[in-house]
Amino acid sequence: MEYVFTLKYSLPTDETDMDALVERLGEAGCDDAILGIGLPGRLALAFSREAVSAVDAMRSARDDVRRVVPAAVLIEVSPDVVGLTDIAEVAGVSRQNMRKLMLTHAGRFPAPLHDGSSALWHLSDVLAWLAERKGYTVDPTVMETALAAMQVNITKEHARLASTDTAPG
């Protein structure tokens, strides 16, 4: 199966030769990724990777990056946290249609992670909700990828919080 996902990293300060980094990543197995190096100190790799499962695809990609840049810090795996426009794109509907669904089914539409001027959801929550409704087809590979990305992000954040926990006791 082919899985499409993005790994976003913060790079160590000594990693300044981006051309050499791109070359090393390609040699290490990341030749199935498009690399984004626009923001200094950051790296995004948009993978299209063959694997048995989304978890295996993400794990092998992470391991490939870790071999090249062991001190890189994983910031986020996507698709996971998304806005209404992103959800509409994945669902194959207009943003207006997705907004109408959200407002019409306010009591049943998944609760956002963040609700403010821009609301954010876990993509897998909204895809599961759409899959339950007639008329919406959810690609199982996209659903599996969104679930795996959410699990990685939650696990990573839990570990970060546990390491910074300064509460007594």
Side-chain angles (χ1 to χ4, degrees), residues 77-95:
V77 180
S78 63
D80 177 20
V81 178
V82 293
L84 210 53
T85 302
D86 302 314
I87 296 166
E89 184 178 318
V90 171
V93 299
S94 69
R95 184 189 184 289

Side-chain angles (χ1 to χ4, degrees), residues 89-103:
E89 184 178 318
V90 171
V93 299
S94 69
R95 184 189 184 289
Q96 292 79 4
N97 182 268
M98 188 55 62
R99 180 168 167 70
K100 183 178 176 183
L101 275 171
M102 179 190 69
L103 294 174

Side-chain angles (χ1 to χ4, degrees), residues 3 10 51 54 91 127 137 144 155 164:
Y3 296 94
S10 174
L127 291 178
T137 303
E144 181 186 352
T155 301
T164 61

